[in-house]
Amino acid sequence: MLLEAQAQQVYDTDSTLDAGSPRDLSGEGRLDSALALQWSRVRARLQDEIGEVEYRNWLRQAALHGLDGDEITVMMPTRFLRDWVNKEYGALLTSLWQSENPAVRRVDIRTRPAGGSTAVPNLAEPSAVPGKSTQPTRRDAEDRSETAAPLDPRFTFDTFVVGKPNEFAYACARRVADGHASPGFNPLFLYGGVGLGKTHLMHAIAWELSQRADEVTVAYMSAEKFMHRFVSALRRQSTIEFKNELRSVDVLMVDDLQFLIGKDGTQEEFFHTFNALVDSGKQIIVSADKSPSDLSGIEDRLRTRLGCGMVADVHATTYELRLAILEAKAARAGVPVPGRVMEFLAQKITANVRELEGALNRLIAHAHLFDRPVTLEAANEVLHDLLRAYDRKITIEEIQKQVADHYNIRISEMSSVRRARNIARPRQVAMYLAKQLTSRSLPEIGRKFGNRDHTTVMHAVAKVTELIAADADFAQDVDLLKRILTV
């Protein structure tokens, strides 16, 4: 009834719409409540089809503009979302609409004009559609809770890229998500440097537990939020309520535990909460930047309890993992990013995944704003400030390593006597780059390549210069190596 009343209100106030807006089913210039109800049902079925996470990421902002003949118009707030939704969900939207209304032959997805409004607003989320429960979900309650922090819908197991540095931590997180309070995994302690994926895994566990088992209550928060909530409870003299609220959950997740260092009172409360939950068979999941044994400033009794379960390290990323992360993110964004650009970013930005993803986001945004392709030149221009932070003095040894990695040969081949083309050509490229990028003399460069004569270096420089002018692909390879080494 609430939904129909809202639809009727839209119907009654239709006089405010532009005269050029697409018309409704009746063709009489007024919006029909049936159209709003059909849209609500389509949205509900869409969420059922693709899942809540995908729906929240891409389709929650979709709004119905109207029906013109046999064409439905759906509006998205940005061109990027319009293109992505059209590519990934256009056929599904059309199919769902046709099942609701056989008169619909096509769904047109457009970008919402700046400052414009839609003809049919999103009257209700799918949970308010007739035939579906209107009771708040457990996740809705968590979102409104003062204790739990909201979860990021992007951080799921499906979007986590697994590689050698994080596979053990990922496997442990999966085990806990599949069955909380698993023997030997309570507590689960994830540790590693900044931006390596600890928070992603924490959110992924919370999402998985919330979606798989409705009876499981999950409270996720940062250590800082835990401290502020505890201090606030002390100030309001409501510590009993705070204790009861935390100790009633099935899974307690605390991120960045290192922020409790030096906060003796908060550590004390966390220790007692920890004991109460574990003794009750509840699951504790904690993350920090160091292992429990290396967390100086944490009480010994708490450090001991943190280390008594499963401790998993998220190691620094490798080149291969960084490249896989970039490829996965570019694929999800639906943006064509040349392989050379991703290789360049994976080689240059090595500190953490956040900076790596941030760099790709900046490139994609620049490409959309200025309607330009993503290129190496654009990467150099847009990311100059970030890349400058990774500047370093170039050595011949570093040049040899980068060239050997690029051409998939052993670094020892740079000094070997072998003259096979697949060895000699990379060696010549390394000599050329050493001459271009360092201040070493020709004899010094020759000595670094197996005590070769300076005339051999001169020949290598001349040969590579000739090939650059004659072979565009070869020139691009050398340019990529130069950018990796110098930018």
Side-chain angles (χ1 to χ4, degrees):
M1 294 299 295
L2 175 61
L3 181 63
E4 292 175 350
Q6 290 173 312
Q8 185 62 43
Q9 182 180 12
V10 174
Y11 180 94
D12 292 339
T13 57
D14 182 56
S15 58
T16 61
L17 295 174
D18 291 339
S21 297
R23 295 307 179 187
D24 71 315
L25 294 170
S26 67
E28 297 175 359
R30 295 185 301 175
L31 292 170
D32 197 306
S33 60
L35 188 63
L37 291 173
Q38 288 173 7
W39 175 229
S40 294
R41 287 194 292 268
V42 166
R43 285 162 59 83
R45 293 182 58 194
L46 186 61
Q47 183 172 347
D48 288 340
E49 288 276 348
I50 68 175
E52 183 174 350
V53 173
E54 289 292 311
Y55 177 83
R56 284 174 178 265
N57 281 345
W58 305 111
L59 288 151
R60 193 174 187 179
Q61 299 183 69
L64 181 64
H65 189 61
L67 176 68
D68 188 10
D70 60 0
E71 181 177 280
I72 284 286
T73 302
V74 173
M75 308 299 280
M76 300 300 299
T78 66
R79 185 175 63 176
F80 169 68
L81 277 175
R82 176 202 66 190
D83 295 342
W84 177 263
V85 170
N86 192 51
K87 174 185 174 184
E88 298 295 326
Y89 307 110
L92 178 58
L93 268 171
T94 300
S95 173
L96 293 176
W97 264 108
Q98 287 174 345
S99 66
E100 281 294 327
N101 181 1
V104 173
R105 292 289 177 266
R106 180 174 179 271
V107 175
D108 183 24
I109 302 171
R110 301 181 187 175
T111 305
R112 188 179 306 152
S117 60
T118 57
V120 181
N122 297 326
L123 298 180
E125 286 301 305
S127 60
V129 177
K132 286 196 171 268
S133 172
T134 58
Q135 294 299 317
T137 64
R138 182 170 300 281
R139 189 172 300 106
D140 292 333
E142 289 171 3
D143 288 344
R144 292 192 299 269
S145 169
E146 292 183 5
T147 301
L151 299 175
D152 192 324
R154 299 171 301 168
F155 293 163
T156 66
F157 284 121
D158 290 339
T159 60
F160 189 85
V161 180
V162 184
K164 194 70 176 176
N166 59 29
E167 62 182 1
F168 179 65
Y170 174 83
C172 291
R174 270 290 192 186
R175 171 66 179 273
V176 172
D178 289 341
H180 65 285
S182 302
F185 287 79
N186 197 18
L188 171 62
F189 191 102
L190 303 172
Y191 76 96
V194 174
L196 297 181
K198 302 185 302 296
T199 298
H200 190 142
L201 286 176
M202 296 275 281
H203 283 237
I205 294 170
W207 278 119
E208 195 78 6
L209 288 171
S210 299
Q211 292 179 355
R212 284 193 175 190
D214 290 339
E215 73 279 3
V216 176
T217 56
V218 181
Y220 166 84
M221 71 189 73
S222 66
E224 185 180 22
K225 184 175 179 63
F226 181 95
M227 180 189 68
H228 285 312
R229 288 283 294 124
F230 177 57
V231 171
S232 177
L234 287 174
R235 188 182 302 118
R236 298 198 313 264
Q237 297 183 344
S238 58
T239 54
I240 298 300
E241 289 83 349
F242 174 72
K243 293 173 187 286
N244 291 338
E245 188 175 10
L246 279 183
R247 298 177 192 189
S248 66
V249 303
D250 296 307
V251 182
L252 176 62
M253 312 180 72
V254 179
D255 207 355
D256 290 325
L257 190 74
Q258 68 271 12
F259 288 112
L260 293 190
I261 291 175
K263 315 296 193 304
D264 295 340
T266 308
Q267 282 187 42
E268 177 87 11
E269 179 57 33
F270 179 74
F271 175 76
H272 291 303
T273 298
F274 183 106
N275 286 339
L277 288 171
V278 172
D279 291 346
S280 301
K282 308 300 180 62
Q283 177 75 50
I284 302 283
I285 305 169
V286 177
S287 78
D289 60 351
K290 298 176 182 177
S291 68
S293 59
D294 293 329
L295 280 175
S296 58
I298 294 288
E299 293 182 10
D300 287 341
R301 59 177 181 171
L302 178 56
R303 183 186 296 111
T304 303
R305 292 305 301 265
L306 290 171
C308 71
M310 182 57 64
V311 178
D313 184 4
V314 184
H315 296 280
T317 57
T318 59
Y319 167 76
E320 292 77 13
L321 180 55
R322 292 193 296 273
L323 186 59
I325 289 169
L326 287 171
E327 289 173 346
K329 188 168 182 63
R332 288 197 299 271
V335 176
V337 179
R340 293 179 186 275
V341 174
M342 289 191 282
E343 290 171 10
F344 172 67
L345 295 179
Q347 286 278 9
K348 292 298 294 182
I349 302 174
T350 59
N352 62 66
V353 175
R354 287 178 192 160
E355 284 193 350
L356 191 66
E357 292 187 344
L360 184 62
N361 285 338
R362 286 170 63 179
L363 275 180
I364 291 173
H366 181 271
H368 278 303
L369 288 171
F370 296 99
D371 198 22
R372 296 174 185 170
V374 177
T375 63
L376 277 175
E377 290 73 19
N380 189 26
E381 174 188 346
V382 175
L383 305 175
H384 64 92
D385 58 326
L386 180 60
L387 297 173
R388 191 184 303 120
Y390 289 88
D391 281 348
R392 57 192 183 277
K393 186 177 180 180
I394 302 170
T395 66
I396 292 177
E397 290 80 7
E398 185 178 9
I399 291 171
Q400 290 174 333
K401 181 180 184 305
Q402 291 288 356
V403 173
D405 288 345
H406 183 77
Y407 287 101
N408 198 27
I409 65 173
R410 294 191 300 271
I411 194 170
S412 61
E413 302 289 5
M414 292 292 172
S415 302
S416 74
V417 296
R418 293 183 60 190
R419 295 187 177 183
R421 183 169 180 176
N422 66 316
I423 301 298
R425 185 71 75 227
R427 186 190 298 135
Q428 289 176 330
V429 170
M431 290 180 181
Y432 169 85
L433 291 172
K435 180 67 175 67
Q436 294 286 320
L437 303 178
T438 74
S439 57
R440 297 294 188 95
S441 65
L442 294 177
E444 287 177 313
I445 294 173
R447 284 195 291 272
K448 292 289 187 179
F449 287 83
N451 290 317
R452 284 176 163 79
D453 189 78
H454 74 282
T455 57
T456 302
V457 181
M458 290 176 63
H459 172 72
V461 172
K463 184 63 177 177
V464 171
T465 302
E466 176 187 331
L467 288 171
I468 287 173
D471 187 336
D473 288 339
F474 180 79
Q476 286 185 340
D477 276 348
V478 175
D479 183 56
L480 173 62
L481 284 165
K482 187 182 294 184
R483 288 178 184 276
I484 288 171
L485 289 160
T486 60
V487 176

